[in-house]
Amino acid sequence: EGGGHPDPTPEGARATEELLELAESADERTLVLAVVTGGSSALLAAPAGDLSVGDLRRSGRALLNAGAGIEEINAVRKHTSRVKGGQLAAAAAPATVVTLAVSDVVGDPPSVIGSGPTAPDATTYVDALDVFSRYGVDVPAVREHLEAGDAGEFLETPRPDQPAVADVPTHVVAGNRTAIDAAATAATDR
């Protein structure tokens, strides 16, 4: 079963649950190779708390339609998910996690590529609430979840100093620069 793009799907949520179960079964002798690409944010759907896939879908669409940038959208995605924002790496601890990334974002920041499932996250529930406020977006279930997280009812995503994510290397194997270089080579050859 697979997920969907640009919106998360129930099939993607089921596949993500299986992925989380595998990650949680890892031990200190396990090497987890995480391949993260642009589009992973929609494909890895693990709604947090009492949220549904539909809530994630409505939130993502509303933010896109309002003109929010990818880093802003991902701040919300990370705080409405059980896998994004370093939470996949945390689930796999104490395994060794290595990330191979195909980036579709400028500058290739690991925390933004696919909402950074294995990367530390510097954003907070307050940041996610600020995005909703800045763009006038209100998906009640999502807002309530973010407010509950800000009140301490849910843990923040793993910070850069937390062991589960602090030492996870990310190797960007392809990105915008790779595509530009390939296009330039093809144009020169023609």
Side-chain angles (χ1 to χ4, degrees), residues 1-4 7-17 42-43 45 47 53-54 57:
E1 292 181 45
D7 296 318
T9 64
E11 296 80 15
R14 283 192 291 278
T16 303
E17 288 301 324
L43 295 171
V53 171
R57 178 179 274 171

Side-chain angles (χ1 to χ4, degrees), residues 5-27:
H5 188 273
D7 296 318
T9 64
E11 296 80 15
R14 283 192 291 278
T16 303
E17 288 301 324
E18 291 178 26
L19 175 69
L20 276 170
E21 288 175 19
L22 282 171
E24 289 167 351
S25 72
D27 61 26

Side-chain angles (χ1 to χ4, degrees), residues 82-157:
R82 292 183 298 111
V83 70
K84 297 172 176 68
Q87 295 178 92
L88 179 60
T96 299
V97 179
V98 176
T99 305
L100 303 177
V102 177
S103 175
D104 64 344
V105 292
V106 175
D108 307 326
S111 66
V112 179
I113 303 166
S115 296
T118 58
D121 182 26
T123 67
T124 64
Y125 283 103
V126 169
D127 295 326
L129 283 165
D130 285 348
V131 171
F132 261 39
S133 194
R134 186 170 32 257
Y135 290 95
V137 169
D138 189 24
V139 177
V142 173
R143 179 183 34 77
E144 290 167 12
H145 175 83
L146 296 172
E147 289 170 346
D150 181 41
E153 292 180 36
F154 301 107
L155 292 174
E156 277 290 354
T157 50

Side-chain angles (χ1 to χ4, degrees), residues 27-126:
D27 61 26
E28 63 280 345
R29 297 171 299 140
T30 308
L31 172 63
V32 175
L33 282 177
V35 179
V36 180
T37 67
S40 295
S41 292
L43 295 171
L44 288 174
D50 292 329
L51 295 173
S52 69
V53 171
D55 295 327
L56 300 184
R57 178 179 274 171
R58 282 185 290 283
S59 174
R61 282 183 185 170
L63 289 167
L64 282 170
N65 290 339
I70 191 64
E71 291 183 16
E72 295 167 313
I73 293 168
N74 283 358
V76 173
R77 286 173 167 165
K78 292 174 193 180
H79 289 87
T80 55
S81 170
R82 292 183 298 111
V83 70
K84 297 172 176 68
Q87 295 178 92
L88 179 60
T96 299
V97 179
V98 176
T99 305
L100 303 177
V102 177
S103 175
D104 64 344
V105 292
V106 175
D108 307 326
S111 66
V112 179
I113 303 166
S115 296
T118 58
D121 182 26
T123 67
T124 64
Y125 283 103
V126 169

